[in-house]
Amino acid sequence: MSAEPNSAFRYISRKRRTKEDHRFLAGNGRYVADIALPRMLHVALVASPYPAAHILSIDASAALALPGVKAVVTGDELASGTDALASGLDIPKVRRYPLAVGTARYVGEWVAAVVAESRALAEDAAELVEVEYEPLPSVSDPEAALDPSSPPVHADHGSNLLYRRKFVWGPVDEDFAAAEHRIEFRARWNRNATVPIETFGVVASWDPTAQLLDVWASIQMPKFPDQLAKALRLPGNGVRVHFDVDVGGSYGVKRGIKHSVLAGYLARRLGRPVRLIEDRLENMRGGDAHGPDRIFDMAVAFDSSGIIRSLRIRALDDVGAHAGRAPFQLGKPIGAIVGPYRIASVEYEAISVTTNKTPQEAVRGFGQSPTNFALESAVDRVARHLGIDRIELRRRNLIRHDEFPYTIPSGSTYDSGDYHAVLDKALAAGGYEDLVRRRDAAREAGKIAGVGIACCLEPSGGNSAFEPLFNPKNETTTWMDSCSIKVDLYGGIVAMMGTSSSGQGHETLVSTVVGEVLGRDPETIRVVHSDSLSALPSNSPVGSRMAIMLGGAAAGAAKKLKATITAIGAHRLGVAPEAAEYRDGDVMLASDPGRRLTFDQIVEIAHRKFHELPPGLEPGLQSAHVMEVPTGGTLPTADGRVQMYPCYAFEAHVVYLEIDRITGKVAIGRYAVGHDCGTMINPDIVHGMTYGGIAHGIGAALYERFAYDGEGQLLSGSFMDYLIPSSHEVPDITIADHCTPSPLTSFGQKGSGEAGYLGAPAAIAGAVNDALAPLGLSLTELPMTPGVLGDLIAGAG
Amino acid sequence: MSQHEITFTVNGESQSATVAARLTLVDFLRDALRLTGTHAGCEHGVCGACSVLLDGVPVRSCLTLAVQADGSEIVTVEGLAPEPGTLGILQDSFWETHALQCGFCTSGMLIASHALLAANASPTEDEIREAIGGNLCRCTGYKQIVDAIALAAERLRGSNLPAKEAADDER
């Protein structure tokens, strides 16, 4: 179900085939594992079997005796040759290196790297490395980790507490005191992640004459080249990251900084190219790519009419054994801490702790989806408490269309929206009344059936304002992205972007936008991924930012180019630029369109006829634009108010499901979502990411969990135990589009890369609870696996 | 490690090689033949990214040893297009519906659906979902893949060839 394309555009919002799909369909993608360099060596890793242990000794003699084995490198060696990896918070004693140094802190942590002529040989040799450990007490539960008596994961740091701050925005105590009703509950979001089908991989090659490290990596990480150079003690221009590597999925987690520092170090030390491609077990337990692991203690104050007045949220997040950027995933949700609702005051206590588990990395939404799950659970509980219909309760609390721009208590201003209209569209698309009848009929027939609703926001445009909020030493107020364009002698247009892509269709985005502005067919525009030495500053596709930021940068560069073309044409026509009109690359007199210069003529003037160029213009035809995030540029206030992200997309989910009484397995019978991300640059791409986000949300809600036993052993290190939804579990999905343009962006677009995932877990949890309610049961812990639900239902007799 | 002589056909071309007994078919295709369109995803037979056709049947090339392919006919994603630079009807249908994002699972999806359409000219949605049920995709939520396969089936039916022949004709 689609909205009509916006007739203001020729290419934007139209059905258009993507630039990228063709090569992938021909088997012609170029992923990191496809890169084979002459004399390349391969890495396998020795991993800790203990959640916490001193490394007493490492004996590599048997491994090194195997023919073809080139080196066995330990953490001690690496720590003397590299600097610790960057940390987001100001916690200097929580140090992290690619290999464990002296102490192993989780099961699967890499203790030694074995380098050999082939991966198979490296794996053989890794089994011969003998490591002597002295096991230490460990902690794997976040509540236990918060107890000062728990064994600290980083002894030098002294405790497991990384960050704790209680924000109070508005008169929370007064609002709670004045409210007619209060409820409290706990919501638990257990550990899952995006788990791309391609594991992380990196190839590094050192040129000792140029003093240059070339890196190809399946990367989606802001500041990756800078952090890599710094850890390797190289100047920034001593590292060249090739962004033309196709990344086989990421959705946040493909950071791989430790892998890349290790591969870069080995390539320099051994003087040969080095490849490190994780196998699935290395990826699942040692790849440092788990997601948020969070306990929410929620308190809600509200009136009998259902108006929610205030919230108290305590969010305790378990980052695992190292910090990285993980604690910031408690910060990003501050930008939408009241969701799409008019809630006047909020208290938010964010607590980040270490445990002896695999470290956490950025996951799609950067902490927003767990927060949305907690918020929507609260809304459902308020409705149930008052006996008010869930949808009616939401309608009473949703911010109204005429209230935008709307500033929430934590300081962010929502740009635009029409939440009531999108909710109505979702209900119509899902056939809500029919679903209720279907549920009631199913219950009559003895089935366990429920309908779920969720409304939520997707903050987009990522300006990393949580960095200065959580770390006052960090004064980041820009998170730029860039694009440059050049036109060659024969009129061919090339646009250059400065990051890699992991399926988001950036070549399609850039060519569509540049084509739109210049009036040239996007099919004819080539888009290239520059390398980190030739690229203008860019920050990678995180925080649902590329439609806004790369799209905006491409539009900015194209507008400059258009102005240059117009100036050249006008000069040649002997008129002021204002008297000339640009049309599809040609320039003509506004008053007499018959007098014109063609695009080809203007290109030739720019490239060959300096004597015909307007004074002061550079020869050639090119432009560049580095874009600041809209609303960026300001630091947080002392009480922690901040404009987190510029744009806010909205989605409303409707789901119907049945739970098998015996097996506990959920079958989703209907799924519809209303979605408003402003102007869609390419509807197929937006829809695809939304379907995929919902599938990912179904996994988080019902199946996926990095489960640990009480001893800190990972129980789900393979796809036999960590269950990813297949075409059987993901139903047909209906999307109802809506378009409320953002006033802050070049074409009214907002972000959409996290769409679907941000509301699906909440909606499914709501449907499960609706199904369980007649049995007197409720559950506010994800994932709601068949085992959990089956036991719960059986227990109720 | 024992070495073995094997001979088989890959995308219509006869190949001979000496391989170690433990070498998997996916590693052989990717590293020795440099056919990198086949991807290793989980390497334990669950995700399906490494699927290839072995005598017309989709198999996990990560769970198949190269020596097991001796004497057989293999088709990889590179063998699905009629000629370089073109796409077959199935591949083109994937492009039309944008049935992929990162592209990593795509070759396995194409192999699975190619086998389906060779056997069933008019699959229902359930049959399509069953056919790709052993191939995991993290990007798409499967919707546009199901649409692509239904579209390809319709287009192949309209091509006036028996389904098996039309699907085979794609390569």
Side-chain angles (χ1 to χ4, degrees), chain A residues 44-299:
Chain A
L45 296 143
V46 178
S48 168
Y50 296 104
H54 283 315
I55 300 165
L56 300 179
S57 67
I58 298 178
D59 179 359
S61 52
L64 288 166
L66 270 192
V69 175
K70 294 296 166 189
V72 176
V73 170
T74 65
D76 284 343
E77 177 186 333
L78 200 68
S80 67
T82 63
D83 286 346
L85 304 177
S87 170
L89 296 175
D90 182 21
I91 41 173
K93 290 183 176 169
V94 179
R95 278 180 294 269
R96 178 184 174 211
Y97 290 91
L99 301 173
V101 182
T103 304
R105 295 185 168 85
Y106 62 95
V107 170
E109 182 169 19
W110 301 347
V111 169
V114 181
V115 192
E117 296 284 354
S118 75
R119 166 75 192 197
L121 201 52
E123 287 183 25
D124 291 342
E127 289 183 5
L128 299 176
V129 175
E130 289 189 20
V131 185
E132 194 184 349
Y133 296 96
E134 179 196 351
L136 298 169
S138 66
V139 60
S140 59
D141 176 74
E143 297 267 37
L146 198 52
D147 187 327
S149 69
S150 65
V153 174
H154 292 264
D156 289 353
H157 184 66
S159 85
N160 287 310
L161 185 65
L162 295 177
Y163 182 82
R164 181 175 208 153
R165 182 172 172 185
K166 186 184 282 186
F167 300 90
V168 181
W169 301 295
V172 174
D173 289 344
E174 292 85 339
D175 285 348
F176 263 81
E180 294 169 79
H181 304 271
R182 286 164 289 277
I183 57 168
E184 293 181 4
F185 68 98
R186 170 168 282 204
R188 182 75 169 96
W189 177 283
N190 280 301
R191 218 163 238 260
N192 65 70
T194 61
V195 192
I197 304 301
E198 182 204 48
T199 61
F200 184 82
V202 55
V203 175
S205 179
W206 172 248
D207 180 339
T209 54
Q211 292 284 296
L212 182 63
L213 185 76
D214 277 293
V215 176
W216 296 261
S218 53
I219 197 75
Q220 184 208 6
M221 181 180 182
K223 320 288 189 200
F224 173 73
D226 314 78
Q227 290 194 18
L228 186 55
K230 191 160 187 307
L232 288 168
R233 300 172 184 164
L234 289 169
N237 63 8
V239 169
R240 176 165 57 194
V241 178
H242 296 262
F243 292 130
D244 58 352
V245 174
D246 290 315
V247 179
S250 172
Y251 334 94
V253 298
K254 287 268 180 76
R255 305 294 166 120
I257 186 68
K258 80 168 187 183
H259 316 54
S260 304
V261 170
L262 176 60
Y265 173 83
L266 294 171
R268 275 180 90 187
R269 157 127 137 61
L270 299 169
R272 289 175 63 175
V274 168
R275 170 201 273 185
L276 192 176
I277 309 281
E278 292 172 333
D279 68 17
R280 188 49 65 181
L281 183 60
E282 284 163 354
N283 171 263
M284 301 283 273
R285 64 177 195 176
D288 295 8
H290 288 190
D293 184 348
R294 204 166 286 188
I295 298 168
F296 293 94
D297 286 305
M298 307 287 292

Side-chain angles (χ1 to χ4, degrees), chain A residues 15 17-18 21 25 31 33-34 124 193-194 249 251 280 503 684 688 691-692 704 719 725 727-728 730 732, chain B residues 22 30 34 39 41-42 44 91-92 94-96 98 101-104 129-130 133 138-144:
Chain A
K15 159 80 185 171
R17 287 190 172 196
T18 67
D21 289 4
L25 288 162
Y31 301 90
D34 303 340
D124 291 342
T194 61
Y251 334 94
R280 188 49 65 181
D684 281 352
Y691 296 131
E704 298 178 38
F719 287 174
S727 56
H728 295 296
V730 182
D732 193 36
Chain B
R22 71 176 181 176
R30 290 181 50 81
R34 293 299 294 155
H39 301 141
C42 69
H44 56 277
Q91 291 163 302
D92 188 73
F94 269 60
W95 196 4
E96 177 60 22
H98 187 50
Q101 289 170 41
C102 79
F104 199 78
R129 287 183 176 273
E130 178 65 28
R138 269 318 229 182
C139 293
T140 65
Y142 307 101
K143 160 92 173 165
Q144 287 150 307

